[in-house]
Amino acid sequence: MLRLPAVAGRFYPSNPEDLTALVRKSTVANAGVSPVPVRACLVPHAGYVYSGQVAGAVLARIALPRKIIILGVRHYPRGEPAAILSSGAWRTPLGDARIDEELAEALKKDCPLLHEDSVAHSTEHSLEVQLPFLQVLAPDFTFVPVALGTVEFESLVSVGEAIGRVLEASKENLLLLTTSDLNHYEDDATTRVKDRKAIDRLLALDARGLYDTCRNEGVSMCGLGPAVAMLTALDALGAKKPELVKYATSADVSGDRSAVVGYAGMIFS
């Protein structure tokens, strides 16, 4: 199938030249820094004007491989709770990004919870907004889109363990690109305190701690499920080097500190 863009012209420019220029502007702060291979990363998925600099700071640091699993959230209550697409392409203003069929089939085989479903992906922006960055920075990449609507801890662990097995078994370099925004729509000071609690658990590679912290402390992290799955996969791979690359809130752009969203960019080696 060909998945058409759902948020072009809203979350990012629909004009190809403007979009390419904005991606390059978002990564320019890391120009001259030698990219390094990493196992996984965490990037936000808001409109580029708000979170593009955080995403760009992360992706510019990474020696991007040709094969990427994009693990996002299902914001809307439609479709399967753990949805994958295993063939076709996703279109953006920069062209078509091809799904890696072999990698998708390996994931489905290893994780029965993942179900083929175009409905969950049809209007979901969390994965879509990653593609123009990758199209500019790694033009030959292929990817597998996975959207998680479930927030059941055991299910998230099951998905993460399967991803870890696939990453470990691969003879090629793979990147697990996970996307989440942090706390939503509280004042800036409160959001920064709550976000720090979530970031500390991410830096500790503590999947259970992140899940419990967000639930018990009221941290409205929209991609909690993907992040828990990512940390579970990293635990299986023996990852030991997390790094917070950049943090911001929407107030850093808008100046409105009354109701903000937090954004963290992280890499995991």
Side-chain angles (χ1 to χ4, degrees), residues 160-185:
E161 288 175 342
I163 291 173
R165 289 190 294 269
V166 169
L167 291 173
E168 189 172 32
S170 176
K171 296 178 181 179
E172 300 179 79
N173 291 331
L174 300 177
L175 172 67
L176 176 57
L177 189 161
T178 305
T179 179
S180 179
D181 296 337
L182 298 184
N183 198 58
H184 286 61
Y185 308 134

Short mmCIF file of all heavy atoms in Angstrom, two decimals, residues 160-185:
data_model
loop_
_atom_site.label_atom_id
_atom_site.label_comp_id
_atom_site.label_asym_id
_atom_site.label_seq_id
_atom_site.Cartn_x
_atom_site.Cartn_y
_atom_site.Cartn_z
N GLY A 160 8.88 -5.21 23.25
CA GLY A 160 10.28 -4.83 23.40
C GLY A 160 11.23 -6.01 23.34
O GLY A 160 12.30 -5.94 22.71
N GLU A 161 10.85 -7.10 23.96
CA GLU A 161 11.70 -8.30 23.92
C GLU A 161 11.83 -8.82 22.49
O GLU A 161 12.92 -9.24 22.08
CB GLU A 161 11.13 -9.37 24.84
CG GLU A 161 11.29 -9.04 26.33
CD GLU A 161 10.60 -10.05 27.23
OE1 GLU A 161 9.73 -10.80 26.74
OE2 GLU A 161 10.93 -10.08 28.43
N ALA A 162 10.74 -8.80 21.75
CA ALA A 162 10.79 -9.26 20.35
C ALA A 162 11.69 -8.35 19.51
O ALA A 162 12.49 -8.83 18.71
CB ALA A 162 9.38 -9.30 19.77
N ILE A 163 11.55 -7.04 19.71
CA ILE A 163 12.42 -6.11 18.97
C ILE A 163 13.88 -6.36 19.33
O ILE A 163 14.76 -6.36 18.46
CB ILE A 163 12.02 -4.65 19.27
CG1 ILE A 163 10.65 -4.35 18.65
CG2 ILE A 163 13.07 -3.68 18.73
CD1 ILE A 163 10.10 -2.98 19.03
N GLY A 164 14.15 -6.59 20.61
CA GLY A 164 15.52 -6.88 21.03
C GLY A 164 16.07 -8.11 20.35
O GLY A 164 17.24 -8.13 19.92
N ARG A 165 15.26 -9.16 20.23
CA ARG A 165 15.72 -10.38 19.57
C ARG A 165 16.02 -10.13 18.09
O ARG A 165 17.02 -10.63 17.55
CB ARG A 165 14.68 -11.49 19.72
CG ARG A 165 14.57 -12.05 21.13
CD ARG A 165 13.71 -13.30 21.16
NE ARG A 165 12.31 -13.04 20.84
CZ ARG A 165 11.38 -12.75 21.74
NH1 ARG A 165 11.69 -12.65 23.02
NH2 ARG A 165 10.13 -12.56 21.36
N VAL A 166 15.16 -9.35 17.44
CA VAL A 166 15.38 -9.06 16.02
C VAL A 166 16.64 -8.21 15.83
O VAL A 166 17.44 -8.47 14.92
CB VAL A 166 14.14 -8.36 15.43
CG1 VAL A 166 14.43 -7.82 14.04
CG2 VAL A 166 12.97 -9.34 15.38
N LEU A 167 16.83 -7.22 16.68
CA LEU A 167 18.03 -6.40 16.58
C LEU A 167 19.29 -7.22 16.82
O LEU A 167 20.29 -7.07 16.12
CB LEU A 167 17.96 -5.25 17.61
CG LEU A 167 16.91 -4.16 17.38
CD1 LEU A 167 16.87 -3.21 18.56
CD2 LEU A 167 17.18 -3.39 16.10
N GLU A 168 19.22 -8.11 17.81
CA GLU A 168 20.40 -8.91 18.14
C GLU A 168 20.73 -9.91 17.04
O GLU A 168 21.90 -10.19 16.76
CB GLU A 168 20.16 -9.65 19.46
CG GLU A 168 21.39 -10.34 20.01
CD GLU A 168 21.17 -10.89 21.40
OE1 GLU A 168 20.02 -11.28 21.72
OE2 GLU A 168 22.14 -10.92 22.17
N ALA A 169 19.70 -10.45 16.39
CA ALA A 169 19.92 -11.48 15.37
C ALA A 169 20.34 -10.91 14.03
O ALA A 169 20.89 -11.63 13.19
CB ALA A 169 18.65 -12.31 15.20
N SER A 170 20.12 -9.63 13.82
CA SER A 170 20.40 -9.04 12.51
C SER A 170 21.89 -9.00 12.21
O SER A 170 22.71 -8.66 13.08
CB SER A 170 19.82 -7.62 12.44
OG SER A 170 20.16 -7.01 11.21
N LYS A 171 22.24 -9.33 10.99
CA LYS A 171 23.63 -9.22 10.55
C LYS A 171 23.96 -7.83 10.03
O LYS A 171 25.11 -7.54 9.71
CB LYS A 171 23.90 -10.26 9.46
CG LYS A 171 23.76 -11.70 9.96
CD LYS A 171 24.00 -12.70 8.86
CE LYS A 171 23.84 -14.13 9.37
NZ LYS A 171 24.05 -15.14 8.30
N GLU A 172 22.93 -6.99 9.93
CA GLU A 172 23.12 -5.61 9.48
C GLU A 172 22.88 -4.66 10.65
O GLU A 172 22.21 -5.00 11.63
CB GLU A 172 22.14 -5.29 8.35
CG GLU A 172 22.27 -6.16 7.14
CD GLU A 172 21.26 -5.80 6.07
OE1 GLU A 172 21.48 -4.82 5.36
OE2 GLU A 172 20.24 -6.50 5.96
N ASN A 173 23.41 -3.47 10.53
CA ASN A 173 23.15 -2.45 11.53
C ASN A 173 21.69 -2.00 11.45
O ASN A 173 21.18 -1.73 10.36
CB ASN A 173 24.06 -1.24 11.33
CG ASN A 173 25.51 -1.55 11.64
OD1 ASN A 173 25.80 -2.41 12.49
ND2 ASN A 173 26.42 -0.89 10.97
N LEU A 174 21.04 -1.95 12.59
CA LEU A 174 19.66 -1.48 12.68
C LEU A 174 19.58 -0.38 13.72
O LEU A 174 20.31 -0.38 14.71
CB LEU A 174 18.72 -2.62 13.10
CG LEU A 174 18.64 -3.86 12.22
CD1 LEU A 174 17.71 -4.89 12.86
CD2 LEU A 174 18.13 -3.50 10.84
N LEU A 175 18.66 0.55 13.52
CA LEU A 175 18.38 1.59 14.50
C LEU A 175 16.94 1.47 14.95
O LEU A 175 16.03 1.35 14.12
CB LEU A 175 18.61 2.98 13.90
CG LEU A 175 18.16 4.17 14.77
CD1 LEU A 175 19.03 4.29 16.02
CD2 LEU A 175 18.18 5.47 13.97
N LEU A 176 16.72 1.51 16.25
CA LEU A 176 15.38 1.60 16.81
C LEU A 176 15.10 3.07 17.12
O LEU A 176 15.61 3.61 18.10
CB LEU A 176 15.26 0.74 18.07
CG LEU A 176 13.92 0.80 18.81
CD1 LEU A 176 12.76 0.43 17.91
CD2 LEU A 176 13.96 -0.07 20.05
N LEU A 177 14.34 3.71 16.26
CA LEU A 177 14.00 5.12 16.43
C LEU A 177 12.64 5.18 17.13
O LEU A 177 11.62 4.81 16.56
CB LEU A 177 13.95 5.83 15.08
CG LEU A 177 13.81 7.35 15.07
CD1 LEU A 177 14.25 7.92 13.73
CD2 LEU A 177 12.39 7.82 15.37
N THR A 178 12.65 5.62 18.37
CA THR A 178 11.45 5.66 19.20
C THR A 178 11.02 7.10 19.38
O THR A 178 11.86 8.00 19.55
CB THR A 178 11.72 5.02 20.57
OG1 THR A 178 12.24 3.70 20.36
CG2 THR A 178 10.46 4.95 21.40
N THR A 179 9.73 7.34 19.33
CA THR A 179 9.27 8.73 19.41
C THR A 179 8.23 8.93 20.50
O THR A 179 7.30 8.14 20.65
CB THR A 179 8.73 9.20 18.04
OG1 THR A 179 8.26 10.55 18.16
CG2 THR A 179 7.62 8.32 17.52
N SER A 180 8.44 9.99 21.26
CA SER A 180 7.51 10.39 22.31
C SER A 180 7.72 11.85 22.64
O SER A 180 8.86 12.34 22.64
CB SER A 180 7.73 9.56 23.58
OG SER A 180 6.84 9.97 24.62
N ASP A 181 6.65 12.55 22.92
CA ASP A 181 6.73 13.83 23.62
C ASP A 181 6.61 13.54 25.11
O ASP A 181 6.21 12.44 25.52
CB ASP A 181 5.64 14.78 23.16
CG ASP A 181 5.77 15.14 21.68
OD1 ASP A 181 6.89 15.04 21.14
OD2 ASP A 181 4.75 15.52 21.08
N LEU A 182 6.94 14.51 25.94
CA LEU A 182 6.89 14.31 27.39
C LEU A 182 5.62 14.94 27.97
O LEU A 182 4.56 14.79 27.40
CB LEU A 182 8.18 14.82 28.03
CG LEU A 182 9.47 14.10 27.57
CD1 LEU A 182 10.68 14.61 28.33
CD2 LEU A 182 9.36 12.59 27.71
N ASN A 183 5.71 15.60 29.08
CA ASN A 183 4.49 16.07 29.77
C ASN A 183 3.73 17.10 28.93
O ASN A 183 4.32 17.93 28.25
CB ASN A 183 4.85 16.67 31.12
CG ASN A 183 3.67 16.76 32.04
OD1 ASN A 183 3.03 15.76 32.34
ND2 ASN A 183 3.36 17.96 32.50
N HIS A 184 2.41 17.05 29.01
CA HIS A 184 1.53 17.86 28.17
C HIS A 184 0.69 18.85 28.98
O HIS A 184 0.03 18.46 29.95
CB HIS A 184 0.56 16.98 27.39
CG HIS A 184 1.17 16.22 26.26
ND1 HIS A 184 2.17 15.30 26.42
CD2 HIS A 184 0.90 16.25 24.92
CE1 HIS A 184 2.49 14.79 25.24
NE2 HIS A 184 1.75 15.35 24.32
N TYR A 185 0.70 20.10 28.53
CA TYR A 185 -0.33 21.11 28.83
C TYR A 185 -0.44 21.49 30.30
O TYR A 185 -1.51 21.88 30.76
CB TYR A 185 -1.70 20.67 28.28
CG TYR A 185 -1.64 20.29 26.83
CD1 TYR A 185 -2.25 19.13 26.37
CD2 TYR A 185 -0.92 21.05 25.91
CE1 TYR A 185 -2.19 18.76 25.04
CE2 TYR A 185 -0.85 20.69 24.58
CZ TYR A 185 -1.48 19.55 24.15
OH TYR A 185 -1.41 19.18 22.83
#
